Amino acid sequence: MTKSKLWQIGDRTDADGAVAAIAAQLGIGLPTAVLLYQRGYRTAAEASAFIRLEAEMLRDPFLLADMKDACERVMTALTKREKIVIYGDYDVDGVTATSLLCLYLRACGASVDYYIPNRVGEGYGVNCEALRRLAENGCRLVITVDTGITACSEIAYASSLGCDVIVTDHHECHEQLPQAVAVINPRRSDCPYPFKELAGVGVAFKLVTALEYTRRQQLQLPAEGFLSELCRDYIDLVALGTVADVMPLRDENRLIVSMGLRYMEHSARPGLRALIGASDGGKTKSRKHMTASVIGFALAPRINAAGRIKSASRAVELFLCESEDEAVQIAADLCDINRQRQAEENKIVEQINQRLLEDTELAEDAVIVLDDQGWNPGVIGIVSSRITEKYGKPSILISFDGDMGKGSGRSVKGLNLVEALMHCSDLLVKFGGHELAAGLSVERKNLSAFRRRINEYAKTQMGTQEVVTPLDIDFELLPQEVSLRQAEELELLEPCGVSNPVPLFAMSGVTMRDILPIGLNHHTKLLVEKEGRRFSAVCFGSSPDELGFAVGDVCDLAFHLNVNEFMGNRSEQLLIRDIRFTEAHRSRLEAERDTYLAIREGTETIPAGEIPKREDFVAVYLHLKRIVRGGCEAICLHTLLHALNATCGANGPMTYLRLRLSLDVLDEAGVIALFPKELTQPGQECFTVTIQHLEQKVNLEKSCLYKHLMKLAQTSLPQ
C-alpha cells in the first residue's frame, strides 16, 4: 500500500463561456475543452493550433555552436574513408542516438562502428580504456552521443592517441568544456540555439540534418525536401529516445514526437515493427495507434533492459538489422531480458519489504538505506523509485561487490538528494545526480556511518512532519462523461508527457462493487459504480491486499481515462493512480478508532456486546494463520475486518472494536506478535503480524487486558 497523496484538484468553472465556445467551435466534448483551456489555450483558434501543431517547427541545426566544425570534420572522414566510432550510452536515448548516426553514416558510405560501455563493468560515460582499444583498432574519429560533455581528461587522452572527438550531448555543462573538435550541446552557455531541451538523440538528429545539408551542397544536389526525407527515415528513432528520456514535450520536441508516432504506426524499420509486435503479445503488425504512453510503458523498458541486465548493444542491433527474421529474434530476446529485469526487480522489492517488516527501527528511518551483496546494480535505481513511491520516503539502495558498493537513490520533495550526499561526502568515494535522483559509491566500512549521517541530515531538513506527495488532478469527471468517445477524444492532446501530462481526473463517491486480482496477483481489477453507472478500472502494481479496500467501500478515485482493446473490442477503462476513502467514510472509520483508543485509555466504558468472545478469538486467529505463512506478514485491518465478516459466526458481524480488542488480547497472551505500522491513509491501519509457536494452550480469559475489559463492562466472563 502506497503512502497517501495530497490531491490538488483543478477547477472546471466556465464563467466567461470560453470553454463552451471551444467545445462548440471545435466539435469536441466539454472535458477536452476544459483541458485545453486549463493548459493555456483560451480560444478556439489557440486550441486548434495546439492540436494541429501549427506553431512548432524544426529549427536550423547550424544555430548550435560548433556545428559547422563538426560537419567539416565528418565530411573529411567520409572523404578519406577514416574509421568512425559512435560512442553512446546504454539507455534508450543513447541507443537510439547511436543507431541513428550509424544508419545515416553507413548510408553515406562511411566506415562506421559503435561502442556502448557496459553498465556494470565500466559504468556511465567515456572511459580511457575503451578509447585506447578503439584507437588501437584504427579509429580516427569518435562521435559521442548522449554523453561526453564532462569527459575533459578522457577526450584529451583520445587526442594524444591521434583520435579526434566530436561531442554531442544534452546534459548540463560544466564551466570547462572538453577540448574536442566540436562540442554540440544546446545547454552550452554560449550556444544561441533557442530550444535547450532536446534529448541526446535530438542533438544527434540535428547533426545528421546539418551533415545532410552540407553533403548535398558539396555534391551540388538539390536541398529541397531533404528534411522531409530525413524525418521519414529517422524521426521514429528520435521520438523514441525523446519520450524515453522524459524530455519536455513542448516546442520542437512535441513536433518530433508527434511526427515520430505517426511514422511508427506504419514503420518500415524491421526492428521497430518487431519490437512493437513483441510488446503487443507477439503480433507481427504495428499497433494501429501509437502514443507516447506506448513508448514509455511498452517499448522503452524493453530497450532499457538490455543495458541494465546484459549489453545495450543488443538493442542497437535491433535497429540496425535489415532482416525481418533477425529483428523478430532480437525483439524476442529483449522481451526475455525485460522479463528477467522485472523478476529481479520484484525479487529485490520483496526482500526490501520483508526487511522493513522485520526491522521496525529501520522502517522508521527518515531515509531508507539498504544494501546487499547480490543485487544487480543495473536495476536498483528502478527499485529505489518503487520503494520511495510506496513508503513516501527517500531511499538509497547499494549493491556491494566485495568491499565497494555502488548505490542509486531517489528522493521526495523536501530533501535535495545531492545536497544530502554532499553533507556525507567524506564517507563516499564519489556521487552525483539531481535533486530527486542520484548515484554514489561507498566502501563497506563507511556504510553504517553514512546511513546514520544522512538520516540525521534528513531529519534536520524535513523535520518530523509527514511527507505527502502532491497529486495534480486536472478536474473532477462526471459519471456521464466517462465514455469510449471521450477516451478516444483525449488522444487529440497527444503526444503527452512532461510539460503536457496525460490528463488525470477525479471522481468522488464511487462504490466498490468487485475487487479481483490479475497478473499473478501483482495488479488489481476493480468494478466501481456511481449514480447507477458502472466502470471497469485497473490498478497496476498493487494486489487487492496491498490496495487495502473492500467491496462496499465508498471511495474517491484519481485516474487516467483510456481505451482498452481486447479481442477486437474497444471500451473505456479507468487506470487508477490513487484511491482514498470519501471524507464521510473516512470520518466514520476514524470515529471507530477514536472510540477504541478511548476504551484502551480508560476514558470510556465498553458496551458488553463489544467484549470479544471465544469464537471471535478463534475466527481471528485462524484467519491470521491462513494468511501469515512463515515469518511475518503485513496486514491491513480494514480488509481483515471485511474478510472476517464474509464468514461471520454466531457472535454476529465482526466490528472494528471487537477485532482490535481481539488482536490486542492475542498479542498480550503471546499467541501472536503485533507491531503497528504508520497509517497509509486515514482508515487504513496496518500491522506486522507473526504467529507464535506455542507449546501449550493459552487461556485468553486470564489476560490482564481481558479482565480489564470485563471490569469496564461490569459483566461476567463468557461461558
Side-chain angles (χ1 to χ4, degrees):
M1 289 162 285
T2 57
K3 292 286 289 181
S4 60
K5 299 177 176 64
L6 177 63
W7 291 20
Q8 299 172 335
I9 304 177
D11 189 2
R12 61 178 291 173
T13 56
D14 186 21
D16 57 1
V19 170
I22 292 171
Q25 293 181 44
L26 298 186
I28 57 178
L30 276 176
T32 310
V34 173
L35 289 166
L36 290 164
Y37 186 85
Q38 285 183 341
R39 296 179 188 204
Y41 308 100
R42 301 303 175 89
T43 67
E46 291 175 352
S48 178
F50 171 79
I51 291 172
R52 301 175 187 277
L53 288 95
E54 294 171 352
E56 287 77 8
M57 60 179 291
L58 295 176
R59 293 187 171 83
D60 182 356
F62 289 99
L63 292 174
L64 286 158
D66 287 0
M67 183 62 81
K68 184 178 179 181
D69 293 335
C71 289
E72 289 178 354
R73 181 63 186 89
V74 174
M75 297 310 295
T76 298
L78 289 174
T79 301
K80 294 183 176 181
R81 296 288 298 169
E82 292 178 321
K83 185 173 182 179
I84 304 171
V85 172
I86 312 303
Y87 196 118
D89 187 25
Y90 37 64
D91 65 2
V92 182
D93 194 13
V95 164
T96 52
T98 300
S99 304
L100 166 65
L101 268 179
C102 281
L103 287 167
Y104 173 76
L105 291 174
R106 286 180 182 179
C108 293
S111 172
V112 62
D113 203 348
Y114 67 91
Y115 184 85
I116 296 180
N118 185 281
R119 180 190 292 266
V120 177
E122 298 174 84
Y124 172 79
V126 181
N127 70 82
C128 290
E129 177 58 26
L131 291 172
R132 183 188 63 78
R133 293 197 303 270
L134 295 177
E136 287 178 352
N137 290 330
C139 174
R140 289 296 170 262
L141 176 61
V142 171
I143 304 176
T144 74
V145 290
D146 194 33
T147 188
I149 195 63
T150 61
C152 296
S153 60
E154 291 84 357
I155 290 172
Y157 176 70
S159 297
S160 72
L161 300 174
C163 190
D164 288 338
V165 179
I166 294 172
V167 173
T168 73
D169 203 349
H170 72 128
H171 294 100
E172 292 293 343
C173 304
H174 293 178
E175 187 174 340
Q176 179 186 1
L177 296 177
Q179 294 299 304
V181 172
V183 178
I184 303 172
N185 187 332
R187 295 185 185 273
R188 280 179 56 169
S189 59
D190 61 341
C191 181
Y193 199 77
F195 185 59
K196 305 296 184 182
E197 295 172 304
L198 290 169
V201 69
V203 179
F205 182 66
K206 289 297 171 182
L207 174 59
V208 165
T209 306
L211 285 170
E212 181 62 12
Y213 180 82
T214 302
R215 189 183 72 87
R216 293 194 177 209
Q217 286 225 316
Q218 289 186 0
L219 296 175
Q220 297 184 340
L221 296 173
E224 184 178 353
F226 87 97
L227 186 55
S228 295
E229 293 179 18
L230 288 179
C231 288
R232 179 197 63 202
D233 292 339
Y234 306 115
I235 203 69
D236 55 344
L237 294 176
V238 189
L240 183 54
T242 298
V243 172
D245 218 44
V246 201
M247 302 308 296
L249 294 191
R250 60 182 183 84
D251 201 281
E252 199 166 0
N253 283 345
R254 187 162 182 265
L255 181 57
I256 286 170
V257 173
S258 180
M259 293 172 62
L261 290 172
R262 290 201 302 272
Y263 278 104
M264 283 183 192
E265 291 179 6
H266 309 285
S267 177
R269 197 178 309 286
L272 187 56
R273 282 203 309 274
L275 185 63
I276 292 171
S279 67
D280 198 22
K283 299 175 184 177
T284 56
K285 295 182 179 179
S286 297
R287 291 174 183 261
K288 293 181 179 179
H289 184 67
M290 292 292 295
T291 66
S293 294
V294 172
I295 293 177
F297 293 103
L299 305 185
R302 288 166 167 80
I303 301 168
N304 261 328
R308 293 184 182 278
I309 301 297
K310 293 189 176 180
S311 169
S313 296
R314 192 63 171 156
V316 177
E317 291 171 16
L318 176 73
F319 296 123
L320 298 186
C321 74
E322 298 178 356
S323 163
E324 294 283 351
D325 291 340
E326 183 184 2
V328 169
Q329 182 57 58
I330 297 174
D333 290 347
L334 293 181
C335 288
D336 288 341
I337 295 170
N338 188 54
R339 282 188 284 271
Q340 182 182 344
R341 186 267 305 171
Q342 291 172 324
E344 290 200 28
E345 280 181 35
N346 292 335
K347 180 181 177 182
I348 296 172
V349 168
E350 290 175 6
Q351 290 175 358
I352 291 172
N353 288 336
Q354 194 65 27
R355 287 195 204 178
L356 295 176
L357 279 175
E358 295 171 353
D359 191 333
T360 54
E361 290 186 7
L362 186 64
E364 291 173 359
D365 281 348
V367 180
I368 297 171
V369 180
L370 291 169
D371 69 284
D372 194 273
Q373 188 75 23
W375 288 343
N376 187 321
V379 303
I380 57 176
I382 305 175
V383 175
S384 180
S385 294
R386 291 174 60 178
I387 295 301
T388 292
E389 170 74 14
K390 178 170 183 175
Y391 293 98
K393 296 179 178 182
S395 66
I396 297 174
L397 308 182
I398 302 166
S399 175
F400 274 97
D401 181 5
D403 290 329
M404 181 60 67
K406 291 183 178 180
S408 187
R410 300 294 184 269
S411 192
V412 296
K413 288 186 177 181
L415 182 70
N416 185 310
L417 194 53
V418 170
E419 291 179 1
L421 295 177
M422 179 70 74
H423 183 74
C424 309
S425 59
D426 59 306
L427 299 172
L428 302 175
V429 177
K430 62 179 180 179
F431 66 92
H434 310 285
E435 179 180 355
L436 299 178
L440 60 91
S441 295
V442 61
E443 293 182 86
R444 187 181 295 278
K445 64 181 181 180
N446 292 326
L447 180 61
S448 296
F450 167 69
R451 178 183 287 115
R452 182 173 60 254
R453 190 185 297 179
I454 198 168
N455 268 281
E456 291 170 351
Y457 177 83
K459 289 175 182 177
T460 63
Q461 297 297 307
M462 301 165 64
T464 57
Q465 77 276 14
E466 181 184 4
V467 176
V468 181
T469 304
L471 187 65
D472 294 321
I473 299 171
D474 288 291
F475 53 86
E476 182 149 349
L477 205 60
L478 304 176
Q480 59 269 29
E481 294 173 330
V482 177
S483 66
L484 176 60
R485 177 182 175 182
Q486 181 58 62
E488 292 173 333
E489 194 174 273
L490 293 177
E491 294 172 355
L492 292 173
L493 276 68
E494 286 285 348
C496 291
V498 178
S499 296
N500 182 37
V502 177
L504 183 62
F505 303 107
M507 186 180 294
S508 60
V510 303
T511 303
M512 296 284 180
R513 292 304 183 194
D514 203 1
I515 303 174
L516 298 170
I518 57 174
L520 300 177
N521 203 36
H522 291 145
H523 317 294
T524 302
K525 183 174 182 178
L526 306 171
L527 183 64
V528 299
E529 181 180 8
K530 182 176 181 181
E531 296 177 5
R533 294 175 60 89
R534 291 194 172 191
F535 310 107
S536 176
V538 177
C539 185
F540 290 110
S542 293
S543 68
D545 287 338
E546 291 172 327
L547 209 55
F549 292 90
V551 172
D553 283 343
V554 184
C555 307
D556 300 333
L557 306 180
F559 62 93
H560 303 296
L561 178 63
N562 83 333
V563 177
N564 179 44
E565 295 190 41
F566 182 71
M567 301 291 289
N569 296 317
R570 291 166 60 85
S571 61
E572 72 275 11
Q573 179 177 253
L574 314 186
L575 296 182
I576 303 298
R577 279 285 305 277
D578 197 21
I579 308 179
R580 67 184 185 187
F581 292 115
T582 61
E583 186 173 350
H585 201 95
R586 187 166 59 245
S587 296
R588 180 178 64 79
L589 295 173
E590 289 176 334
E592 291 177 345
R593 185 168 184 263
D594 289 343
T595 299
Y596 158 76
L597 292 174
I599 290 172
R600 287 303 313 266
E601 292 168 0
T603 59
E604 190 171 322
T605 58
I606 179 172
E610 290 294 333
I611 300 290
K613 295 183 172 62
R614 286 192 183 95
E615 52 265 36
D616 293 323
F617 294 126
V618 170
V620 171
Y621 176 75
L622 291 178
H623 191 83
L624 290 177
K625 196 172 181 180
R626 281 195 297 271
I627 63 176
V628 179
R629 298 181 178 90
C632 58
E633 293 285 339
I635 63 166
C636 173
L637 198 65
H638 181 68
T639 53
L640 175 62
L641 178 61
H642 279 262
L644 288 166
N645 278 328
T647 55
C648 59
N651 205 19
M654 179 71 76
T655 64
Y656 171 87
L657 183 55
R658 287 215 320 277
L659 174 57
R660 285 301 310 263
L661 295 174
S662 296
L663 289 169
D664 288 348
V665 171
L666 289 168
D667 182 40
E668 183 188 76
V671 178
I672 64 173
L674 191 68
F675 301 97
K677 296 174 66 64
E678 56 188 327
L679 294 175
T680 56
Q681 65 165 301
Q684 284 186 328
E685 297 165 80
C686 298
F687 295 85
T688 300
V689 178
T690 302
I691 302 294
Q692 306 287 52
H693 298 287
L694 304 176
E695 296 181 357
Q696 57 185 9
K697 290 185 177 181
V698 175
N699 187 347
L700 299 177
E701 296 173 358
K702 292 185 177 180
S703 85
C704 295
L705 174 59
Y706 194 86
K707 292 178 179 179
H708 174 68
L709 293 174
M710 295 302 298
K711 185 177 180 181
L712 284 175
Q714 296 181 339
T715 187
S716 60
L717 288 171
Q719 300 300 315

